[in-house]
Amino acid sequence: MISASVLNEWYPVAMASQIRAGKTRETLLLGQPITVTLTGDAVTVQGKSGPLHVCEHYGHVWACPGTPAHDLFPIPEAAQPGRRLVDVGVVRVKCSPLRAVENFLDIAHFPFIHTDVLGAEPHTEVNRYEVAIREESDEVWATKVTFYQPQAAKSAAGGIVQPLTEELCDVWPWMALFDDTTPQAELIAFQQMIFLQDRSILENQIPRLLPLDPGMEIPTQADLTSIAYRRWLKRRGLTYGAQMVAA
Amino acid sequence: MKTDWHAAALARDVPPKVVVAAQFDGVELAVWRSASGKLSAWKDRCPHRGMRLSHGFVRGETLSCIYHGWVYGTSGACQHIPAHPDLTPPSAIRADAYDCIEAGGVIWLAPLGTASAPPDLAGLTPVRTIFVNASAAQLSAAVPNLRGDHALRGSVDMGGAAVELCLLLQPRASGGVAVHLLCADQADRIRASRWLENLRRMAEEGIAA
């Protein structure tokens, strides 16, 4: 039984450009089969018991299987003049969608997983930064984050995560950057390399579900964002892909 | 031969500064050897974010988790957290250790504090390890003339020659079994190795020997 708070959120289910080009996507959302397709000029998402709410933003189709609790969150970078949005494609990952999101919030792994690209020893220290749950937008924000990065592009990079099941997700690495010169293929190859390095971690964390029991995993100060994220998930009942009690 | 100890790997397959994945009674473990040769076996899970420690790296007398580089000494205690280089890690941060020793060219695992000694393999030489996609019971059934529980011993006819050997079986959570082959006579190692490959095929296809 999936809770209303989970069902009433927006989830990415396809690249808008592919659906608009006439491709139909048969996929899963929260364990249920859905079909994303073009009907006339409208993108529709059909579930077993009828159509889902749909919107298109940031190059993606988003669906809500319940009654949308709010509009889709804004990504101000996506609309910033001069930013170039890069479609990297999709990567299937055998992990909880919540683990995939949490990894995007983590910087301490850069020197070890993205060695000499996003980080490098001995520059491993994570200085104190600030984390807040902004009540007005209901979002987790980390600010004043500084880190030594040998090659990071001046970009806003992250990922868009579709929860297929509690232990399986599709991730679209996503970036919006100030760069009009680097060839598209090079940017895509770079971002794919980075995310495949992340996947080698995500598919080897035990358990596959994200533990929300505080006794199960030991955080430090560098994990303030992850701590806030786990609290926020728990408070909002967004527990699809989470493990509540240690097994 | 009933024993508290399970064979994890052949000793030569885990040289200094190497970490491998192993299992004990269905529990996934990381087995590693320090630069000076000390063996350790821990649950295959970093206490920080659950990453498999068997994906980590050995430096000197420590194993580091590949995810955030947390450094663990041979006692299992976390010694260093790279994100906070000036912090002395709390003693509660430690890997969950098993007993792990080398004897007779084999790396043996047992629950922490096991008093007994591992099986005596005097007179036997390790040959190789293979993984068989069949249960320990199916494998044992394929060699009725070998006797034992986790260690099958006896003599096998190989093309007219009687070869004395031992198979150490290590059941795996996935359903398969790791088989470590040891021979009495070093000269038999190649024919025994071929015989074992054939045994794997028969066990996987459900054919009795």
Side-chain angles (χ1 to χ4, degrees):
Chain A
M1 181 66 193
I2 300 175
S3 70
S5 45
V6 170
L7 294 172
N8 295 344
E9 286 297 324
W10 290 101
Y11 300 95
V13 292
M15 295 283 308
S17 57
Q18 299 210 330
I19 304 303
R20 293 244 161 243
K23 283 190 187 154
T24 292
R25 178 168 153 91
E26 306 275 353
T27 180
L28 290 174
L29 179 60
L30 306 174
Q32 296 299 314
I34 56 166
T35 304
V36 189
T37 193
L38 196 62
T39 311
D41 357 315
V43 173
T44 60
V45 180
Q46 195 68 32
K48 261 197 205 153
S49 48
L52 280 66
H53 297 271
V54 182
C55 67
E56 278 178 67
H57 283 290
Y58 322 123
H60 287 260
V61 177
W62 303 74
C64 170
T67 308
H70 48 78
D71 289 341
L72 183 63
F73 53 83
I75 306 179
E77 288 85 350
Q80 212 174 4
R83 288 263 191 195
R84 180 171 161 199
L85 303 183
V86 181
D87 286 347
V88 178
V90 66
V91 183
R92 178 152 297 178
V93 188
K94 281 181 257 173
C95 75
S96 156
L98 305 180
R99 287 239 192 236
V101 171
E102 187 178 78
N103 181 65
F104 284 117
L105 308 177
D106 183 273
I107 56 174
H109 72 280
F110 288 174
F112 302 98
I113 303 305
H114 312 299
T115 309
D116 295 337
V117 182
L118 301 185
E121 289 184 281
H123 310 283
T124 56
E125 182 162 13
V126 176
N127 294 313
R128 186 171 268 283
Y129 58 90
E130 290 178 10
V131 170
I133 296 178
R134 296 190 178 171
E135 300 294 341
E136 66 284 5
S137 57
D138 203 18
E139 292 176 339
V140 179
W141 277 77
T143 51
K144 301 186 182 169
V145 181
T146 54
F147 201 68
Y148 172 84
Q149 297 204 286
Q151 280 186 54
K154 200 174 179 190
S155 67
I160 287 178
V161 181
Q162 175 180 351
L164 299 169
T165 73
E166 291 201 270
E167 300 191 356
L168 190 67
C169 52
D170 273 350
V171 178
W172 288 271
W174 186 91
M175 54 184 175
L177 68 171
F178 293 112
D179 180 342
D180 293 325
T181 52
T182 310
Q184 188 82 346
E186 208 172 295
L187 293 172
I188 291 170
F190 176 83
Q191 198 65 4
Q192 280 181 345
M193 171 190 78
I194 295 295
F195 190 68
L196 293 183
Q197 290 168 343
D198 286 313
R199 185 176 67 173
S200 72
I201 296 299
L202 293 171
E203 296 195 337
N204 287 290
Q205 284 175 279
I206 302 169
R208 240 175 226 180
L209 297 174
L210 181 78
L212 292 184
D213 177 340
M216 186 75 183
E217 296 187 349
I218 305 172
T220 68
Q221 188 189 289
D223 302 309
L224 286 177
T225 322
S226 133
I227 296 165
Y229 174 60
R230 292 183 185 200
R231 276 197 200 129
W232 178 83
L233 290 173
K234 210 189 261 188
R235 198 172 74 185
R236 299 202 41 209
L238 299 178
T239 53
Y240 189 83
Q243 177 182 280
M244 302 306 289
V245 180
Chain B
M1 181 165 47
K2 196 76 187 166
T3 172
D4 302 319
W5 297 85
H6 292 199
L10 300 186
R12 63 147 184 267
D13 290 337
V14 189
K17 298 199 275 184
V18 163
V19 56
V20 300
Q23 293 193 1
F24 181 88
D25 235 352
V27 180
E28 293 180 291
L29 303 179
V31 173
W32 65 281
R33 198 192 293 271
S34 74
S36 75
K38 186 170 177 356
L39 279 168
S40 306
W42 300 338
K43 271 200 187 145
D44 198 6
R45 183 174 186 279
C46 178
H48 175 218
R49 285 292 176 253
M51 181 60 195
R52 288 184 189 279
L53 288 168
S54 59
H55 287 234
F57 52 93
V58 181
R59 283 178 181 164
E61 299 303 295
T62 62
L63 176 70
S64 297
C65 176
I66 189 68
Y67 196 3
H68 300 95
W70 288 25
V71 179
Y72 297 88
T74 52
S75 71
C78 181
Q79 293 180 350
H80 181 67
I81 295 175
H84 307 298
D86 301 326
L87 176 84
T88 303
S91 59
I93 306 180
R94 53 185 311 120
D96 201 348
Y98 280 63
D99 278 344
C100 182
I101 56 172
E102 178 177 336
V106 173
I107 296 172
W108 298 94
L109 301 172
L112 200 61
T114 296
S116 63
D120 180 9
L121 302 179
L124 290 165
T125 307
V127 176
R128 68 182 294 199
T129 298
I130 67 171
F131 295 89
V132 179
N133 190 17
S135 69
Q138 284 169 309
L139 197 86
S140 304
V143 281
N145 52 330
L146 295 185
R147 300 264 174 256
D149 178 14
H150 283 307
L152 305 175
R153 291 185 79 152
S155 183
V156 173
D157 180 78
M158 295 183 198
V163 173
E164 199 193 322
L165 54 76
C166 173
L167 302 179
L168 302 173
L169 307 187
Q170 182 198 15
R172 297 172 69 77
S174 57
V177 61
V179 182
H180 312 285
L181 166 69
L182 298 90
C183 264
D185 188 345
Q186 175 78 357
D188 289 327
R189 68 188 189 282
I190 291 170
R191 71 173 112 188
S193 174
R194 300 237 165 92
W195 170 84
L196 181 60
E197 286 170 9
N198 192 46
L199 177 67
R200 169 172 60 190
R201 189 179 62 76
M202 292 193 301
E204 288 181 350
E205 292 172 7
I207 305 163

